[in-house]
Amino acid sequence: MRALIVVLMVLGFAVGGIPLVGSLIDVMTRPDDTIVYQGAYVPFRDAQMARDYESTMATAYEPLDEPRWLVLACYPLIGAALGALTALVLGRLGWHLTRA
């Protein structure tokens, strides 16, 4: 039964890693539309920012609507746990791995 648990845990881990790998590929191949400013910044003194621009700046740093990385990183672990649980259930029902 131990071999069945190990095999299904590894398969669950691999299947659970598919969304994580897909997201990483998407992040690495997505074109970068932002322009990075490489100069010095000196704030204006006695100048007030317009309210519409201030609200734009406030929302620019909020979290994006994309999947959270912590959740994506947990998918392989969830897959491995579900694989182990499936192996336990199948082991109790009499399934086992044999050498050919």
Side-chain angles (χ1 to χ4, degrees):
M1 186 161 108
R2 183 174 48 185
L4 182 65
I5 292 173
V6 170
V7 167
L8 288 182
M9 279 181 68
V10 169
L11 287 174
F13 187 84
V15 170
I18 291 172
L20 179 62
V21 170
S23 294
L24 289 174
I25 290 172
D26 181 47
V27 166
M28 287 187 272
T29 58
R30 184 183 310 157
D32 190 19
D33 294 334
T34 59
I35 298 172
V36 179
Y37 180 68
Q38 297 288 336
Y41 171 73
V42 179
F44 293 121
R45 295 175 199 243
D46 300 326
Q48 195 169 16
M49 187 183 298
R51 288 196 185 270
D52 55 349
Y53 186 71
E54 185 176 354
S55 64
T56 303
M57 290 295 291
T59 58
Y61 295 104
E62 290 179 1
L64 301 175
D65 292 334
E66 296 179 11
R68 303 279 187 249
W69 285 106
L70 181 61
V71 174
L72 284 175
C74 289
Y75 281 171
L77 301 175
I78 293 169
L82 288 175
L85 182 65
T86 304
L88 284 173
V89 170
L90 291 176
R92 296 285 180 204
L93 292 176
W95 289 56
H96 60 280
L97 294 178
T98 57
R99 294 183 186 194

